[in-house]
Each structure stands twice: as structure tokens, then as C-alpha cells.
Amino acid sequence: MLNEELNHIINDYDQFKQRINEQKQNPFNLSLIEQINRWEISSIEKIQQKAKDYREYIIKSSQPFINDVEMKFKDLREQIRQIHQENEFNEINLNYFRNQLMDITKELNNSTNLSIQQDSQSFINEISIISSKKSKLNKWKQNAITVAAGNGKGPELNQLNNPNGLSVNGKKNIFIADFWNHRIVEWKYNAKKGQIIAGGNGKGNRMDQLNNPTDVIIDQQNHSIIISDQGNRRVIQWFNQNQQILIENIHCYGLAMDKNGFLYVSDWNKNEVRRCKIGENNKGIIVAGGNGKGDKLNQLNNPTFIFIDEDQSVYVSDKDNHRVMKWTKDAKEGRIVAGGNGNGRNLNQLSAPRGVIVDHSNQIYVVDCENDRVMRWCEGKEEGEIVIGGNGKGDQSNQLNCPRGLSFDDEGNLYVVDWGNYRIEKFEITL
């Protein structure tokens, strides 16, 4: 009996092994591939039919006009033939014929009042791949470690004064936009005090001064930092002690850089986000907002921090609309991916959001400033979840006070600018 049972198991094993080999040779889910193929064929057929209809319409609409021009041309030709036959003409006649011919030619060149208008709303149904397999969601210790300052408000090297934005490099060194101290401070890993790497020479608009910096990012390619010098309405690049203005006359707030080296800047006054190439000395192009202040999908209201993903989609903390917007590349309008249900503290609401980051699993992390917490949202979900804070405003290790900037290090530890407590908090990831 045992031998017989063993033979059954061996037989099942052989069959399963054969299935694995078949999957190796053809690993794709044929049913899903077939659905995608059908969608592709159907979409192409729709486009081809639309193009065919419009070509026929243009040809049909243009024909009467061309016939009219042809009649005028024939009439002019008959006049020329007649005067040439009679051999009685002068310079006035020639000028008249020349002008008539020019008019007819011009009319033919402008042969139609038709034009092409492109609509951003697609008539092709979009598809997307949805996995039912849930990705593992990270968690963090709820009691933070203070890794920078925490010694009260002040200008000393172990203090900060309402810090705003921050960046963390591969060595876990923290770069902080120290707003009211008008400086950028680097706090090395495990250091007891920071060091000034930009500004720190009083409030001003000289090249060695800053005025209420709001954000700072690290430009690894050029071994420099880029600063949103809000009070001076400029974006400035610092190489050690050398400075260069990248953009002037802009109400800058948040900064981001994509994998191609394009710089993105939010303008809180014009309610837009711009993309520009470093070194071209211009304001670039609008990639989000730019349609005035408002709460429509193509508008923003006081945008602050921004994030750019691998596809050059722009995520914007739309502060006074209490939402986070996502603008895909070349889109005419954005879509709400967090908040958007008014100002409040429910799980489907935000209150004056600030720092925003999207991880590799497309989970959106946003600083819910006036609710003193950090939220995680999955695009398409109606509610977010609290990952940090939410324990009331305070200065305990599990509390925040009007947090602003947000960053991760390479290990996934979470850093939060605790604005009202004049400190940087590190929440360690739990594995």
C-alpha cells in the first residue's frame, strides 16, 4: 500500500514538473496577453476609422472651394488669351494680371478654414494591470529618535529655527533648510551639532546669503545642493562656497529632480510647477497647474512640496486645497491621489499637506501638517492610513508639531521635519 501511494506521489510530482517546464518555456499568462492583444487591435481599428472619416470629410469640404478657385483661374486665363491675341496691352494690364494671379494663388494656399483640434480626453479606453497580490507595507517604530537639534529654537549649531525641507544622502547625512536662520545646515550621521554649508550670513540677497529657504535637494551629478531661496525669489545652486542662480523672479517653494537631471520647482504664487534644464537659465515649462488659483483638476492652490517618479509624473502637495495631486507627463490636468475631501482629520481628509514621497510600490506618503501626522495613501483608495504621529500636537517622541518636510534613507527609515519642535525626527523601520 505504501509503495502504491509512493507511486502516486511520484506520478503527481512528474506531472507538476512538466507544468513547471511548460511555464518556463511560456511564462506569460496567455489569457491576459490575449486580452491586451484584443484591446490593441480594437484601439487601432478605432483610430484608423476616425482618421479615415476625417480624411474623407476634408476632401469633401475642400472640393467646392477648389472648384471656385479653378473657375477664377480659367476666367483670368481667358482674359490673358484675349489680350494676347489682340496684341493690345500695356504695363497697367500686366500689373493687373500679375496681381490677380497672386490673389488667386494666395486664396489657393489658404484653401480651407478647417483646423485640427486635439482633445486631452481620450476616446480610447485605457487599460492597466492590477495585481491582487498585496505588497508588504512597511511599518515604523512609533517613538522617534531626534537626529538633529531638539535643543529649542535658536541660531546655535545644535539648534534650528522652524526648519522646513530636508534631504538625506547615502551616508545618512541630513541637509536641512533652516527657515528662520536663513541657512542650510548639514547634520552628519550621529553628530551632536550641524555645520552651515550655505547662507548663515544673516538675512539678505547677496550671493553668500539666503532669505527664508524652504527646501533643499542634493544634485549628485554635479556634487552640489540646490536651494529654494523663497524670500529672494530665486533657486540657487551651491558648490562648496561657490554660488550660481538657476532661476530668478519665481515664488519658489518645493524642489525635485528626475532621473534625467531636469529640475522641478513649485511656484506657490502662480499656482504651478515648472520643469527646467539646469544650465539653460530659464524658467522652463509648466508641468502642473498654471491655470490660476482654484480647486479644479487643472488648478492648484498654494502648492508646496513636490515629488517626481520614474515616469516623470509630478506629485504636488496642494496645500490650500488639502489634497495631493498627480500630474502624469504632458497631462492637461491632474487627478487627486490623497485627500480632496475638504479640510479635516478623518482618514479621507488632509489638512494643509506638505512633504510628499512615493515609494517603489507606488504608496504615497504625505505630511498631514495641521493634523500632526504622516499618512500613507494608495492611489485609487478613498482613505489613507496613519503611519506616524496622530497622537495630538506635542513634543513627546511619538508626537509632532506642524511637521513639514519628509525623506527616507536607503534603509527605509523615515525622517520628518518637526517644524514646531525645532528638530528632525527619525522613525526607524521595523523589519
Side-chain angles (χ1 to χ4, degrees):
M1 287 174 65
L2 290 173
N3 281 330
E4 187 176 346
E5 188 67 29
L6 179 62
N7 288 332
H8 282 305
I9 293 172
I10 292 171
N11 185 51
D12 290 343
Y13 168 82
D14 290 339
Q15 290 181 3
F16 189 73
K17 185 178 180 182
Q18 185 177 350
R19 285 182 61 192
I20 290 175
N21 290 334
E22 289 173 356
Q23 287 290 325
K24 280 184 177 180
Q25 293 172 5
N26 189 11
F28 300 108
N29 188 317
L30 295 178
S31 174
L32 294 179
I33 295 295
E34 183 58 33
Q35 288 183 51
I36 294 171
N37 290 342
R38 287 199 299 270
W39 170 82
E40 179 186 25
I41 292 170
S42 173
S43 298
I44 291 172
E45 286 175 351
K46 284 184 180 179
I47 293 170
Q48 289 176 333
Q49 183 60 47
K50 199 93 170 178
K52 180 174 178 289
D53 292 344
Y54 284 147
R55 279 193 291 265
E56 291 175 354
Y57 179 80
I58 288 173
I59 292 171
K60 184 178 179 181
S61 301
S62 301
Q63 201 59 50
F65 183 85
I66 294 173
N67 291 341
D68 183 53
V69 171
E70 188 179 25
M71 288 296 295
K72 291 179 180 178
F73 180 74
K74 286 181 178 179
D75 182 56
L76 180 63
R77 185 183 61 184
E78 181 59 31
Q79 292 181 52
I80 294 172
R81 189 193 64 77
Q82 186 174 349
I83 200 171
H84 185 263
Q85 188 176 14
E86 294 173 355
N87 201 23
E88 289 185 8
F89 56 90
N90 54 34
E91 193 172 330
I92 295 174
N93 300 125
L94 297 180
N95 285 334
Y96 167 77
F97 292 139
R98 188 180 293 110
N99 290 333
Q100 284 291 99
L101 188 58
M102 285 175 60
D103 289 343
I104 294 173
T105 304
K106 204 177 290 183
E107 192 174 346
L108 184 63
N109 289 337
N110 301 318
S111 60
T112 178
N113 58 358
L114 301 176
S115 62
I116 301 295
Q117 179 180 344
Q118 296 193 33
D119 193 347
S120 62
Q121 188 170 355
S122 173
F123 68 95
I124 301 297
N125 292 328
E126 289 189 18
I127 63 170
S128 58
I129 305 298
I130 300 172
S131 174
S132 58
K133 183 180 178 181
K134 292 186 177 179
S135 58
K136 180 186 174 185
L137 297 178
N138 292 332
K139 293 184 179 181
W140 292 266
K141 294 179 181 178
Q142 293 302 297
N143 291 301
I145 303 168
T146 300
V147 290
N151 298 298
K153 175 174 67 172
E156 303 301 323
L157 290 179
N158 68 343
Q159 294 179 307
L160 296 168
N161 191 349
N162 292 132
N164 205 66
L166 87 164
S167 290
V168 181
N169 70 7
K171 297 178 180 178
K172 295 189 178 65
N173 297 338
I174 308 166
F175 297 78
I176 307 162
D178 194 3
F179 187 82
W180 284 114
N181 281 328
H182 314 291
R183 65 189 184 185
I184 304 297
V185 181
E186 180 184 6
W187 218 283
K188 293 190 181 296
Y189 182 60
N190 280 339
K192 299 297 182 187
K193 61 182 181 180
Q195 60 185 65
I196 301 169
I197 59 171
N201 298 303
K203 175 181 177 180
N205 60 5
R206 295 198 316 257
M207 288 300 287
D208 66 339
Q209 292 179 306
L210 297 172
N211 183 356
N212 297 137
T214 52
D215 202 8
V216 57
I217 61 172
I218 305 163
D219 182 359
Q220 303 280 9
Q221 187 175 353
N222 295 306
H223 307 290
S224 67
I225 60 170
I226 299 174
I227 304 162
S228 176
D229 191 10
Q230 184 192 65
N232 286 322
R233 296 179 56 209
R234 65 188 183 186
V235 177
I236 191 166
Q237 186 175 36
W238 282 61
F239 309 82
N240 296 322
Q241 292 304 312
N242 298 316
Q243 305 89 27
Q244 174 188 357
I245 296 175
L246 300 179
I247 308 173
E248 293 183 281
N249 300 317
I250 182 171
H251 294 275
C252 49
Y253 193 103
L255 300 173
M257 186 175 287
D258 68 19
K259 61 184 178 182
N260 300 315
F262 284 98
L263 178 65
Y264 297 73
V265 186
S266 64
D267 187 321
W268 60 267
N269 185 50
K270 291 186 177 179
N271 299 293
E272 64 189 25
V273 178
R274 288 184 169 270
R275 181 184 70 210
C276 64
K277 189 71 173 175
I278 293 177
E280 293 185 356
N281 197 26
N282 59 56
K283 292 186 180 181
I285 62 169
I286 297 173
V287 293
N291 297 296
K293 180 190 292 188
D295 60 1
K296 295 178 182 175
L297 292 180
N298 68 341
Q299 293 178 309
L300 298 168
N301 188 355
N302 198 352
T304 58
F305 290 97
I306 54 179
F307 179 86
I308 313 302
D309 70 11
E310 290 290 312
D311 300 320
Q312 292 182 304
S313 294
V314 183
Y315 293 79
V316 189
S317 272
D318 193 9
K319 174 179 169 285
D320 289 345
N321 282 325
H322 312 289
R323 65 189 186 185
V324 175
M325 301 293 291
K326 178 183 179 180
W327 291 63
T328 56
K329 187 179 179 183
D330 300 327
K332 302 299 182 186
E333 62 181 31
R335 62 176 180 266
I336 301 169
V337 292
N341 296 297
N343 182 7
R345 59 184 309 104
N346 296 325
L347 292 179
N348 68 342
Q349 294 178 305
L350 294 169
S351 182
R354 296 299 210 287
V356 60
I357 291 178
V358 182
D359 69 12
H360 296 299
S361 301
N362 294 321
Q363 301 292 320
I364 303 157
Y365 296 81
V366 56
V367 171
D368 193 6
C369 176
E370 293 180 5
N371 287 323
D372 307 298
R373 64 191 184 185
V374 177
M375 301 281 289
R376 174 168 55 204
W377 290 68
C378 177
E379 186 176 341
K381 296 288 185 183
E382 303 230 340
E383 291 185 347
E385 61 175 322
I386 302 169
V387 293
I388 296 295
N391 301 306
K393 191 186 301 293
D395 60 3
Q396 300 301 308
S397 62
N398 69 340
Q399 292 180 308
L400 298 168
N401 185 351
C402 295
R404 299 294 174 92
L406 183 70
S407 186
F408 287 102
D409 65 20
D410 291 341
E411 295 176 0
N413 299 308
L414 188 60
Y415 296 74
V416 181
V417 175
D418 196 4
W419 182 86
N421 287 320
Y422 317 107
R423 65 189 182 184
I424 309 299
E425 297 289 82
K426 175 183 176 182
F427 293 86
E428 293 184 322
I429 191 169
T430 58
L431 301 176

